[in-house]
Amino acid sequence: MSDIHLDHSVLSALRDVMEDEFPVLLDTFQADSAERMRQIQQAYAQADCQALRLAAHSFKGSCSNMGAPVLAGLCKQLEDIAHREQLADAPAVILQIEREYLVVRNLLQDERRGFSL
């Protein structure tokens, strides 16, 4: 089931490139993702379409780079919603992003446990 949420070939390539720094990459993604989620929620609460679009776009890129295609796709949907300034459509997608983020976060934490610094 984790194959749906994480592209293990992407993680494997990152592990090969990053070598001993791979755990640092995982930690950085975790911290960055928590900040991106906060930015998304804040932008929506303030009805700031531009900030919401930028936060979703940024999160989409990092999710894609980390091999989280479902999460990246949801961020793309939110980015499009914000671009069209259709904030009424945003809550459902934000909820999906939050749920998928929790799944991805847990899977990456499992990856992280496999490494010791």
PDB file of all heavy atoms in Angstrom, residues 37-49:
ATOM      1  N   MET A  37       2.465  23.132   5.528  1.00  0.00           N
ATOM      2  CA  MET A  37       1.080  22.907   5.960  1.00  0.00           C
ATOM      3  C   MET A  37       0.577  24.124   6.740  1.00  0.00           C
ATOM      4  O   MET A  37      -0.555  24.559   6.544  1.00  0.00           O
ATOM      5  CB  MET A  37       0.982  21.642   6.826  1.00  0.00           C
ATOM      6  CG  MET A  37       1.167  20.348   6.064  1.00  0.00           C
ATOM      7  SD  MET A  37      -0.014  20.098   4.711  1.00  0.00           S
ATOM      8  CE  MET A  37      -1.564  20.276   5.549  1.00  0.00           C
ATOM      9  N   ARG A  38       1.413  24.670   7.600  1.00  0.00           N
ATOM     10  CA  ARG A  38       1.023  25.854   8.360  1.00  0.00           C
ATOM     11  C   ARG A  38       0.741  27.019   7.413  1.00  0.00           C
ATOM     12  O   ARG A  38      -0.250  27.740   7.578  1.00  0.00           O
ATOM     13  CB  ARG A  38       2.114  26.236   9.366  1.00  0.00           C
ATOM     14  CG  ARG A  38       1.711  27.362  10.314  1.00  0.00           C
ATOM     15  CD  ARG A  38       2.903  27.945  11.050  1.00  0.00           C
ATOM     16  NE  ARG A  38       3.841  28.628  10.167  1.00  0.00           N
ATOM     17  CZ  ARG A  38       3.607  29.807   9.566  1.00  0.00           C
ATOM     18  NH1 ARG A  38       2.467  30.431   9.726  1.00  0.00           N
ATOM     19  NH2 ARG A  38       4.529  30.356   8.793  1.00  0.00           N
ATOM     20  N   GLN A  39       1.585  27.198   6.409  1.00  0.00           N
ATOM     21  CA  GLN A  39       1.394  28.284   5.450  1.00  0.00           C
ATOM     22  C   GLN A  39       0.096  28.112   4.655  1.00  0.00           C
ATOM     23  O   GLN A  39      -0.615  29.086   4.406  1.00  0.00           O
ATOM     24  CB  GLN A  39       2.586  28.361   4.492  1.00  0.00           C
ATOM     25  CG  GLN A  39       3.851  28.849   5.127  1.00  0.00           C
ATOM     26  CD  GLN A  39       5.060  28.714   4.212  1.00  0.00           C
ATOM     27  OE1 GLN A  39       4.998  28.075   3.160  1.00  0.00           O
ATOM     28  NE2 GLN A  39       6.174  29.320   4.605  1.00  0.00           N
ATOM     29  N   ILE A  40      -0.192  26.893   4.263  1.00  0.00           N
ATOM     30  CA  ILE A  40      -1.429  26.620   3.531  1.00  0.00           C
ATOM     31  C   ILE A  40      -2.641  26.964   4.389  1.00  0.00           C
ATOM     32  O   ILE A  40      -3.563  27.647   3.939  1.00  0.00           O
ATOM     33  CB  ILE A  40      -1.464  25.145   3.054  1.00  0.00           C
ATOM     34  CG1 ILE A  40      -0.503  24.953   1.878  1.00  0.00           C
ATOM     35  CG2 ILE A  40      -2.883  24.706   2.694  1.00  0.00           C
ATOM     36  CD1 ILE A  40      -0.276  23.512   1.474  1.00  0.00           C
ATOM     37  N   GLN A  41      -2.631  26.495   5.612  1.00  0.00           N
ATOM     38  CA  GLN A  41      -3.759  26.759   6.503  1.00  0.00           C
ATOM     39  C   GLN A  41      -3.918  28.245   6.791  1.00  0.00           C
ATOM     40  O   GLN A  41      -5.031  28.774   6.780  1.00  0.00           O
ATOM     41  CB  GLN A  41      -3.588  25.959   7.806  1.00  0.00           C
ATOM     42  CG  GLN A  41      -3.714  24.472   7.570  1.00  0.00           C
ATOM     43  CD  GLN A  41      -3.084  23.627   8.652  1.00  0.00           C
ATOM     44  OE1 GLN A  41      -2.346  24.119   9.502  1.00  0.00           O
ATOM     45  NE2 GLN A  41      -3.363  22.332   8.620  1.00  0.00           N
ATOM     46  N   GLN A  42      -2.810  28.927   7.004  1.00  0.00           N
ATOM     47  CA  GLN A  42      -2.855  30.362   7.281  1.00  0.00           C
ATOM     48  C   GLN A  42      -3.348  31.139   6.066  1.00  0.00           C
ATOM     49  O   GLN A  42      -4.188  32.027   6.192  1.00  0.00           O
ATOM     50  CB  GLN A  42      -1.480  30.869   7.707  1.00  0.00           C
ATOM     51  CG  GLN A  42      -1.457  32.348   8.028  1.00  0.00           C
ATOM     52  CD  GLN A  42      -0.079  32.827   8.446  1.00  0.00           C
ATOM     53  OE1 GLN A  42       0.880  32.057   8.528  1.00  0.00           O
ATOM     54  NE2 GLN A  42       0.048  34.103   8.735  1.00  0.00           N
ATOM     55  N   ALA A  43      -2.849  30.818   4.898  1.00  0.00           N
ATOM     56  CA  ALA A  43      -3.268  31.517   3.681  1.00  0.00           C
ATOM     57  C   ALA A  43      -4.757  31.317   3.429  1.00  0.00           C
ATOM     58  O   ALA A  43      -5.465  32.263   3.061  1.00  0.00           O
ATOM     59  CB  ALA A  43      -2.447  31.035   2.487  1.00  0.00           C
ATOM     60  N   TYR A  44      -5.228  30.094   3.642  1.00  0.00           N
ATOM     61  CA  TYR A  44      -6.657  29.852   3.448  1.00  0.00           C
ATOM     62  C   TYR A  44      -7.472  30.650   4.473  1.00  0.00           C
ATOM     63  O   TYR A  44      -8.465  31.292   4.110  1.00  0.00           O
ATOM     64  CB  TYR A  44      -7.006  28.363   3.549  1.00  0.00           C
ATOM     65  CG  TYR A  44      -8.496  28.167   3.490  1.00  0.00           C
ATOM     66  CD1 TYR A  44      -9.185  28.351   2.297  1.00  0.00           C
ATOM     67  CD2 TYR A  44      -9.224  27.859   4.635  1.00  0.00           C
ATOM     68  CE1 TYR A  44     -10.565  28.226   2.241  1.00  0.00           C
ATOM     69  CE2 TYR A  44     -10.602  27.735   4.585  1.00  0.00           C
ATOM     70  CZ  TYR A  44     -11.256  27.921   3.392  1.00  0.00           C
ATOM     71  OH  TYR A  44     -12.626  27.807   3.334  1.00  0.00           O
ATOM     72  N   ALA A  45      -7.051  30.624   5.727  1.00  0.00           N
ATOM     73  CA  ALA A  45      -7.770  31.344   6.784  1.00  0.00           C
ATOM     74  C   ALA A  45      -7.839  32.834   6.491  1.00  0.00           C
ATOM     75  O   ALA A  45      -8.824  33.500   6.832  1.00  0.00           O
ATOM     76  CB  ALA A  45      -7.106  31.092   8.141  1.00  0.00           C
ATOM     77  N   GLN A  46      -6.805  33.355   5.832  1.00  0.00           N
ATOM     78  CA  GLN A  46      -6.766  34.781   5.499  1.00  0.00           C
ATOM     79  C   GLN A  46      -7.341  35.065   4.109  1.00  0.00           C
ATOM     80  O   GLN A  46      -7.309  36.218   3.667  1.00  0.00           O
ATOM     81  CB  GLN A  46      -5.328  35.291   5.589  1.00  0.00           C
ATOM     82  CG  GLN A  46      -4.772  35.247   6.993  1.00  0.00           C
ATOM     83  CD  GLN A  46      -3.303  35.619   7.067  1.00  0.00           C
ATOM     84  OE1 GLN A  46      -2.606  35.728   6.055  1.00  0.00           O
ATOM     85  NE2 GLN A  46      -2.811  35.811   8.286  1.00  0.00           N
ATOM     86  N   ALA A  47      -7.844  34.030   3.445  1.00  0.00           N
ATOM     87  CA  ALA A  47      -8.394  34.157   2.092  1.00  0.00           C
ATOM     88  C   ALA A  47      -7.394  34.824   1.146  1.00  0.00           C
ATOM     89  O   ALA A  47      -7.756  35.621   0.294  1.00  0.00           O
ATOM     90  CB  ALA A  47      -9.725  34.904   2.104  1.00  0.00           C
ATOM     91  N   ASP A  48      -6.130  34.460   1.306  1.00  0.00           N
ATOM     92  CA  ASP A  48      -5.049  35.020   0.495  1.00  0.00           C
ATOM     93  C   ASP A  48      -4.712  34.030  -0.618  1.00  0.00           C
ATOM     94  O   ASP A  48      -3.907  33.106  -0.426  1.00  0.00           O
ATOM     95  CB  ASP A  48      -3.835  35.294   1.394  1.00  0.00           C
ATOM     96  CG  ASP A  48      -2.701  36.001   0.669  1.00  0.00           C
ATOM     97  OD1 ASP A  48      -2.648  35.948  -0.582  1.00  0.00           O
ATOM     98  OD2 ASP A  48      -1.859  36.598   1.370  1.00  0.00           O
ATOM     99  N   CYS A  49      -5.350  34.219  -1.756  1.00  0.00           N
ATOM    100  CA  CYS A  49      -5.185  33.282  -2.873  1.00  0.00           C
ATOM    101  C   CYS A  49      -3.740  33.195  -3.352  1.00  0.00           C
ATOM    102  O   CYS A  49      -3.255  32.105  -3.675  1.00  0.00           O
ATOM    103  CB  CYS A  49      -6.099  33.671  -4.029  1.00  0.00           C
ATOM    104  SG  CYS A  49      -7.842  33.397  -3.673  1.00  0.00           S
TER     105      CYS A  49
END
